[in-house]
């Protein structure tokens, strides 16, 4: 299967909010939840209003949905393919 991604598609993917992927309410402020990347018992994963994230437990961080998917061990192309589900 080939995956063709236009610059317009990539821009739309970059605008996807991580909140949408994780099904958490985006109220415009910093949110802390249990980390979806490692086995977390307490909320250590923080989503920021600028769509960046940081986990204080496993120290993963990034800016946007593509970085988030790549933190889940997807490749860049796999991340884009996965994120097209949210367009």
């Amino acid at each position: 299967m080939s995956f063709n991604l236009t610059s317009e598609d990539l821009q739309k993917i970059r605008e996807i909010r991580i909140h949408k992927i994780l099904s958490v309410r985006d109220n415009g402020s910093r949110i802390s939840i249990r980390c979806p990347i490692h086995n977390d018992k307490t909320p250590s994963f923080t989503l920021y209003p600028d769509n960046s994230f940081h986990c204080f437990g496993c120290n993963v961080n990034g800016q946007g949905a593509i970085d988030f998917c790549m933190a889940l061990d997807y490749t860049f192309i796999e991340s884009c393919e996965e994120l097209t589900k949210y367009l």
Side-chain angles (χ1 to χ4, degrees), residues 3-43:
F3 184 69
N4 296 319
L5 188 66
T6 67
S7 59
E8 292 83 20
D9 293 335
L10 186 56
Q11 183 57 37
K12 288 178 187 175
I13 288 170
R14 286 185 174 134
E15 293 172 2
I16 294 171
R17 304 279 295 156
I18 299 168
H19 296 76
K20 186 174 185 178
I21 298 166
L22 295 174
S23 298
V24 295
R25 191 168 141 210
D26 184 357
N27 62 7
S29 62
R30 182 178 67 187
I31 297 173
S32 292
I33 60 173
R34 290 177 51 197
C35 183
I37 297 167
H38 76 281
N39 189 13
D40 203 6
K41 294 186 193 274
T42 60

Side-chain angles (χ1 to χ4, degrees), residues 24-87:
V24 295
R25 191 168 141 210
D26 184 357
N27 62 7
S29 62
R30 182 178 67 187
I31 297 173
S32 292
I33 60 173
R34 290 177 51 197
C35 183
I37 297 167
H38 76 281
N39 189 13
D40 203 6
K41 294 186 193 274
T42 60
S44 63
F45 186 84
T46 303
L47 293 166
Y48 295 96
D50 66 354
N51 205 28
S52 63
F53 62 92
H54 180 78
C55 178
F56 294 93
C58 66
N59 209 32
V60 67
N61 59 67
Q63 178 69 44
I66 294 173
D67 286 350
F68 176 72
C69 286
M70 292 180 72
L72 294 170
D73 289 332
Y74 289 93
T75 65
F76 176 77
I77 296 297
E78 291 169 340
S79 297
C80 291
E81 288 175 336
E82 182 67 25
L83 291 170
T84 58
K85 297 175 186 176
Y86 297 93
L87 294 177

